[in-house]
Amino acid sequence: MNKRSELSRSLTLTDAVAIGVASMVGAGVFVVWQPAALAAGNLLLVALVIAALVAWANATSSAQLAAQYPAAGGTYVYGRERLGPWPGYLAGWSFVIGKTASVAAMALAFAAYLAPADWQKPVAIAAVWALVGINLLGVTRTAQVAKVLASLALIGIVTALCVGWFGNGATGSFGWAAFTGGPYGVLQAAGLLFFAFAGYARIATMGEEVTNPERTIGRAIITALVIVLVLYAVVGISLLVLVGPELLAQSTAPLTLLVDGAPIPKAVLTGGAIAAIAGALLGLLSGIGRTFLAMSREGDLPRFFDHTHPTTKVPHRIELLLGVILTVVLMLVDLRGAIGFSSFGVLLYYFVANLSAYTQDEAHRRYPKAWQVFGALLCLVLVATLPWQSVLAGLAVLALGVLWRIVRPRTLR
């Protein structure tokens, strides 16, 4: 392996779980409920169950693959090893592009909690560079910050739920008898809600940075997902009962409705939301960097980025490039509606993961093949039912990736 791009193997199981939870919670609890409720109505919980099942199938495939291939890059590496260069490349390209758009959207959501409209883009850019700076300090610093941010996020969520249940009381009009979402709406909502679970992909990209990766990565993925599954179920039920699907579909910050008229709990919730989104951004940035590094090693992206800092062992050139790209994107485009685009890329990424896990032999198999078939099929179904604008944008970016790999300089091949 190229010594210039050596990563530091220093993360424990607790570190990996904290990074996974921080990556998932910020992406889901404070962002995704409104568009999902708009699509599914009273059937929001059905959509959540479907999204959770897809997430579980994908997580088990990732855990099984990570045990056999403990290397940075996640499904990009698994696809190359099990299916060939092109499937691996398309998985890596989908991940990098989709997650970069997701970072921009999350940065704007972060700024929305802190600043008035005129200052939101400068605050979002400042947040991106602050988190790039943390990542540049090394992966152990990333893990330490992720633990703090995940704890603050959970405190804010629990505070809002306690006030909602024991302070304000139930005010929603939720009832199982009055279904308002059809099958298409439920599947579309499931695809959008999957965005909230996609953070465990960050754990799979850390194959060269955790201790005992063959054992640690799989346990960390499943543990983080179970924690988040329980949290999302509690939050989803609480929002439907206490707020109702109609009001939920109209609010971009539905958890704040639980603490209206309670300034101290509202401040705690706002702090938790900021911490959660910052944690998700931190995990996303570092995850993109590791996949980008793996693709550069193979020549699928410029080899200039196949380099890590001699002291901190992080891919600093990639982190700085991401900071520059996100600065330009945030200055020019409002990407708060990028959840669908991100889901498009990540679902294709996990489609490749499921196919890769299906080809593993019995010696490396930990879960039945039926889970991989189920996961792959539902990934395609959910992609097809995403908003058409997201599907078209995703296909266009996928075509650009294919074109780049065909015409890339001969020296990279």
Side-chain angles (χ1 to χ4, degrees):
M1 184 177 293
N2 190 338
K3 292 183 178 179
R4 293 182 307 151
S5 60
E6 181 181 354
L7 296 168
S8 174
R9 194 176 294 283
S10 56
L11 297 180
T12 65
L13 173 63
T14 303
D15 294 331
V17 170
I19 290 174
V21 171
S23 297
M24 283 186 275
V25 169
V29 171
F30 300 97
V31 178
V32 79
W33 298 106
Q34 186 265 343
L38 189 62
N42 276 11
L43 295 177
L44 179 64
L45 292 182
V46 178
L48 180 62
V49 169
I50 295 173
L53 288 172
V54 178
W56 177 262
N58 296 343
T60 54
S61 292
S62 297
Q64 181 173 289
L65 288 159
Q68 184 175 357
Y69 303 104
T75 300
Y76 169 70
V77 173
Y78 313 150
R80 284 183 64 90
E81 293 290 337
R82 304 302 312 175
L83 304 174
W86 268 106
Y89 171 78
L90 292 175
W93 179 260
S94 297
F95 181 85
V96 169
I97 299 301
K99 288 301 185 181
T100 300
S102 182
V103 168
M106 296 301 294
L108 287 167
F110 174 88
Y113 279 91
L114 283 179
D118 293 341
W119 284 91
Q120 286 179 10
K121 289 194 174 184
V123 170
I125 293 170
V128 165
W129 279 106
L131 294 170
V132 166
I134 292 172
N135 278 335
L136 290 175
L137 294 176
V139 71
T140 54
R141 297 290 186 274
T142 298
Q144 290 166 2
V145 173
K147 290 177 186 177
V148 174
L149 294 176
S151 299
L152 292 174
L154 293 175
I155 290 171
I157 293 167
V158 170
T159 298
L161 294 176
C162 288
V163 172
W165 282 104
F166 304 112
N168 297 334
T171 59
S173 58
F174 172 68
W176 287 106
F179 296 143
T180 57
Y184 181 83
V186 169
L187 290 174
Q188 185 175 106
L192 296 171
L193 284 166
F194 182 77
F195 171 83
F197 292 102
Y200 59 79
R202 170 65 186 106
I203 302 173
T205 66
M206 299 190 302
E208 295 176 36
E209 296 170 279
V210 297
T211 57
N212 191 12
E214 293 84 356
R215 177 178 175 85
T216 300
I217 295 178
R219 293 177 63 189
I221 288 173
I222 300 303
T223 302
L225 182 59
V226 169
I227 292 171
V228 172
L229 279 173
V230 173
L231 177 66
Y232 286 179
V234 172
V235 172
I237 292 170
S238 299
L239 288 173
L240 283 174
V241 172
L242 300 174
V243 175
E246 296 84 5
L247 191 56
L248 182 60
Q250 299 171 17
S251 176
T252 56
L255 282 172
T256 60
L257 300 175
L258 301 178
V259 292
D260 277 347
I264 294 178
K266 189 170 185 177
V268 174
L269 172 64
T270 300
I274 292 170
I277 297 171
L281 284 169
L282 190 65
L284 285 169
L285 283 169
S286 54
I288 295 167
R290 273 55 178 183
T291 301
F292 201 122
L293 176 67
M295 297 180 74
S296 300
R297 285 174 174 171
E298 300 293 339
D300 281 333
L301 291 176
R303 292 190 187 275
F304 172 78
F305 297 105
D306 177 17
H307 191 85
T308 55
H309 193 277
T311 302
T312 60
K313 302 297 183 184
V314 299
H316 58 293
R317 293 177 180 175
I318 297 171
E319 295 287 348
L320 293 172
L321 174 67
L322 287 173
V324 172
I325 291 173
L326 285 164
T327 297
V328 174
V329 170
L330 288 167
M331 289 174 62
L332 299 177
V333 183
D334 182 354
L335 288 179
R336 279 177 284 188
I339 291 175
F341 178 82
S342 178
S343 292
F344 178 93
V346 177
L347 283 165
L348 290 183
Y349 174 85
Y350 282 116
F351 173 72
V352 175
N354 283 302
L355 292 184
S356 300
Y358 183 84
T359 67
Q360 288 179 280
D361 56 33
E362 291 301 321
H364 297 98
R365 180 162 300 285
R366 298 186 177 188
Y367 301 95
K369 284 189 173 183
W371 274 116
Q372 286 113 53
V373 174
F374 174 79
L377 291 176
L378 267 185
C379 281
L380 293 181
V381 170
L382 295 187
V383 163
T385 56
L386 287 170
W388 65 267
Q389 298 93 332
S390 300
V391 175
L392 286 180
L395 290 174
V397 172
L398 206 61
L400 286 176
V402 171
L403 181 62
W404 155 257
R405 195 168 193 272
I406 291 173
V407 304
R408 61 185 170 154
R410 189 176 297 275
T411 54
L412 292 181
R413 301 181 186 182

